[in-house]
Amino acid sequence: MRTILNVIWLIFAGVWLAIGYAIAGVICCILIVTIPFGIASFRIAAYALWPFGRTVVRDPDAGALSTIGNVIWLVFAGIWLAVGHVLTSIPLFLSVIGIPLGIANLKLIPVSLLPLGARIVDVD
């Protein structure tokens, strides 16, 4: 079932989200100071491409720099990304097939708000 949902997600939403996060990652990696944000964007892009069967867990070893980076990310990008995920999940909830896709879109909000110090792991 996960594979079927991932393929449907990939066609309707995953490719576009992954491309957006990958472009943001490339832009962040061009500037030296924002490389950690670029790496986080690439991690989110991989998660946005194939979200079913994976989840986000917080890394307990993440330190103060991760927290400071998350605050900066939250102010400049995180809030806007979360609003975008909420707004794009609304049309997905309008159909029966889109409900799991809308839930997956909402599942991306925590990692898009605070990406540093987060790891994406398999559910199993």
Side-chain angles (χ1 to χ4, degrees):
M1 189 62 158
R2 287 184 198 160
T3 305
I4 294 169
L5 286 171
N6 275 322
V7 170
I8 294 170
W9 170 263
L10 185 69
I11 293 168
F12 290 110
V15 170
W16 308 112
L17 283 172
I19 288 171
Y21 279 112
I23 290 170
V26 168
I27 291 170
C28 287
C29 285
I30 289 173
L31 304 168
I32 302 299
V33 177
T34 56
I35 287 177
F37 301 120
I39 293 169
S41 293
F42 291 132
R43 191 173 40 244
I44 298 170
Y47 183 47
L49 203 56
W50 207 255
F52 293 97
R54 300 189 323 179
T55 189
V56 177
V57 294
R58 291 278 148 206
D59 189 3
D61 296 330
L65 289 177
S66 176
T67 303
I68 293 168
N70 276 333
V71 170
I72 294 169
W73 175 275
L74 182 69
V75 170
F76 290 106
I79 293 172
W80 303 109
L81 290 170
V83 168
H85 283 296
V86 169
L87 291 177
T88 56
S89 68
I90 292 169
L92 291 171
F93 281 118
L94 295 178
S95 70
V96 174
I97 291 178
I99 291 172
L101 304 179
I103 292 170
N105 205 353
L106 293 178
K107 200 170 88 169
L108 287 165
I109 291 175
V111 74
S112 69
L113 280 173
L114 305 169
L116 302 176
R119 292 184 317 178
I120 297 160
V121 297
D122 289 333
V123 174
D124 298 333

